[in-house]
Amino acid sequence: AEAAGAGMSALLLPTLPARDDQKPDREDERRRIIASGGRVEPLFDEDGEPIGPARVWLPNMMLPGLAMSRSLGDDIAATVGVYANPEVLVYDMSEADQFMVIASDGVWEFLSNEQVVGIVESCNGDAERAAQEICAKSYQEWRAEEEVVDDITAIVVFFEQA
C-alpha cells in the first residue's frame, strides 16, 4: 500500500507511524518556503500578538495566508514554494491493518491519531458512523478552541480480512 499526503489531507492506518503534517512551521517546509521568497509567521492582531497557526505569506503582502505548506492549484502560494508534491510512504499491509481513515486537515488540527483510532474502533465496523463521529468530534473541538471552523471531511474504509 502507498500512503500519500499533500497539504490538506492525510491518510491514517493505525499500524503506521504518526502523521507528520505538512505545515509551514515544519522545519523542512519552512526552509523551502523561505528559499522561495515567502514568509512563515502567524497572523498578528492590532496589538502585535500572534493569532492562530503559522501561515505562508508573500514577501510584502498579507496573501495568501495558508496554514499549510502544500496545496493543489493555488497559483499565488506556488510563487513562494507551496506545491502539490505529495509525500509518499510505501508500506506492506498486514492482517493488523483493519481500516484506514482519509481526512482533511480540519480533522487533524485537534484530533490525534490515537483519538481517531479510538473513535473508529468504537464503531464496530460501521464506516459511515465512524466518519460521522470523527467529524462530529472534530467540530466539537474546533468550536471549543476557535471562533471559526475549518473544513472537516473524513472517509473511513474497513478492510476485509482474508
Side-chain angles (χ1 to χ4, degrees):
E2 290 188 7
M8 301 250 334
S9 64
L11 167 71
L12 167 68
L13 283 164
T15 56
L16 281 177
R19 299 179 327 272
D20 190 11
D21 293 338
Q22 298 154 336
K23 296 196 175 233
D25 55 355
R26 195 176 90 182
E27 190 54 39
D28 58 331
E29 301 288 290
R30 175 189 296 272
R31 281 193 308 270
R32 185 186 69 250
I33 292 162
I34 291 171
S36 298
R39 293 181 293 134
V40 175
E41 57 189 42
L43 183 64
F44 293 97
D45 68 14
E46 59 277 352
D47 297 323
E49 294 296 317
I51 302 172
R55 296 179 177 275
V56 178
W57 306 98
L58 295 178
N60 299 309
M61 297 179 71
M62 296 304 287
L63 292 171
L66 286 178
M68 66 203 71
S69 54
R70 301 190 190 205
S71 179
L72 300 170
D74 191 321
D75 292 338
I76 293 173
T79 66
V80 290
V82 175
Y83 57 62
N85 298 6
E87 293 181 322
V88 177
L89 170 67
V90 177
Y91 170 78
D92 291 325
M93 293 181 63
S94 73
E95 288 188 27
D97 296 310
Q98 298 175 1
F99 60 86
M100 72 175 174
V101 176
I102 303 169
S104 66
D105 63 324
V107 169
W108 304 118
E109 186 67 28
F110 296 112
L111 297 183
S112 68
N113 288 2
E114 294 78 17
Q115 288 173 295
V116 170
V117 167
I119 291 169
V120 174
E121 288 176 340
S122 74
C123 291
N124 300 316
D126 185 337
E128 185 174 346
R129 182 174 142 224
Q132 289 172 345
E133 289 193 18
I134 290 167
C135 291
K137 180 63 174 170
S138 181
Y139 182 80
Q140 176 185 1
E141 294 297 321
W142 272 97
R143 298 297 299 164
E145 297 290 332
E146 301 286 342
E147 292 183 26
V148 297
V149 176
D150 197 2
D151 64 299
I152 300 170
T153 303
I155 300 168
V156 177
V157 177
F158 282 91
F159 302 125
E160 289 186 19
Q161 299 298 319

